[in-house]
């Protein structure tokens, strides 16, 4: 008789962070209307200088009766930050606009390889073209190639894909207009130490 398939443990910390992140991306954080104000000359800030989004406390997850694996939850949450830049994020490859308000960042190692899956979600007052030029400049300089242009998805004002290492590394960028500002979503897989 086959043994029953074990149920996957729920990750309440990760789930709460994801729900908060999706709410912020859809609505934008309170009090962060960037409008079309003129931006400072500095196009990029370092991680330490970037403004941080105010994020409300996530609600406590319901008790499902299943014991939580504390080590597993701590490890998962240590690779993502809501409203802040996570440790190990490749900011030299994916810099922050000067007026960036961070929503969610993550940098998750992939096994024992020198590879990490990264994501960056932020709000900015930069025009979509300026956002794309910022990332186009750093990625092309780092040896990435831009894929042929595609028609952006509905409600997305700009979208592109960059690849390197024969396609083993890729970075996808999408820009959405929200309330007079831009919400930028970046995700991909990059080698560390390059």
């Amino acid at each position: 008789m086959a043994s029953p398939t074990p149920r996957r443990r729920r990750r309440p910390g990760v789930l709460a962070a994801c729900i908060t992140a999706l709410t912020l991306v859809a609505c934008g954080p309170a009090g962060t209307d960037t409008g079309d104000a003129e931006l400072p000359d500095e196009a990029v800030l370092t991680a330490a200088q970037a403004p941080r989004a105010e994020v409300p406390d996530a609600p406590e997850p319901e008790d499902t009766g299943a014991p939580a694996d504390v080590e597993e939850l701590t490890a998962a949450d240590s690779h993502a930050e809501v409203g802040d830049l996570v440790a190990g994020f490749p900011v030299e490859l994916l810099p922050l606009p000067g007026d960036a308000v961070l929503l969610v960042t993550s940098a998750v190692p992939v096994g024992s390889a020198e590879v990490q899956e990264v994501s960056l979600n932020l709000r900015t007052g930069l025009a979509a073209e300026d956002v794309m030029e910022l990332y186009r400049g750093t990625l092309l300089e780092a040896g990435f190639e831009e894929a042929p242009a595609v028609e952006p998805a509905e409600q997305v004002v700009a979208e592109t894909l960059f690849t390197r290492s024969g396609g083993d590394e890729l970075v996808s960028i999408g820009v959405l207009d929200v309330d007079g500002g831009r919400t930028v979503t970046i995700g991909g897989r990059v080698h560390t130490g390059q």
Side-chain angles (χ1 to χ4, degrees):
M1 177 191 238
S3 61
T5 306
R7 292 178 60 193
R8 294 180 64 190
R9 289 194 174 109
R10 297 181 183 216
R11 298 183 175 191
V14 174
L15 180 59
C18 289
I19 290 170
T20 303
L22 290 174
T23 302
L24 286 171
V25 170
C27 305
T32 59
D33 182 16
T34 56
D36 293 322
E38 212 170 287
L39 297 174
D41 290 336
E42 298 80 8
V44 179
L45 291 181
T46 64
Q49 295 169 314
R52 307 297 183 229
E54 274 189 35
V55 181
D57 291 336
E60 288 294 319
E62 275 180 42
D63 184 7
T64 60
D69 184 336
V70 176
E71 287 181 17
E72 184 181 350
L73 292 176
T74 303
D77 290 346
S78 70
H79 298 299
E81 287 287 345
V82 176
D84 206 350
L85 196 65
V86 69
F89 187 86
V91 73
E92 68 288 343
L93 188 63
L94 299 170
L96 307 177
D99 66 339
V101 176
L102 294 174
L103 303 176
V104 182
T105 63
S106 70
V108 181
V110 178
S112 60
E114 292 187 343
V115 175
Q116 60 183 182
E117 291 181 351
V118 297
S119 69
L120 170 62
N121 292 277
L122 59 85
R123 293 265 300 149
T124 178
L126 285 178
E129 301 80 27
D130 295 332
V131 170
M132 296 308 256
E133 282 308 308
L134 170 65
Y135 293 110
R136 184 174 286 120
T138 58
L139 290 166
L140 293 179
E141 188 176 324
F144 279 80
E145 295 179 358
E146 189 169 4
V150 295
E151 187 68 29
E154 190 177 345
Q155 298 184 4
V156 175
V157 293
E159 186 175 27
T160 192
L161 177 70
F162 295 88
T163 62
R164 184 172 70 174
S165 306
D168 188 48
E169 295 179 273
L170 56 92
V171 175
S172 171
I173 302 173
V175 183
L176 179 69
D177 272 335
V178 179
D179 299 330
R182 260 54 60 202
T183 296
V184 181
T185 301
I186 300 175
R189 181 179 62 246
V190 298
H191 294 172
T192 58
Q194 283 199 16

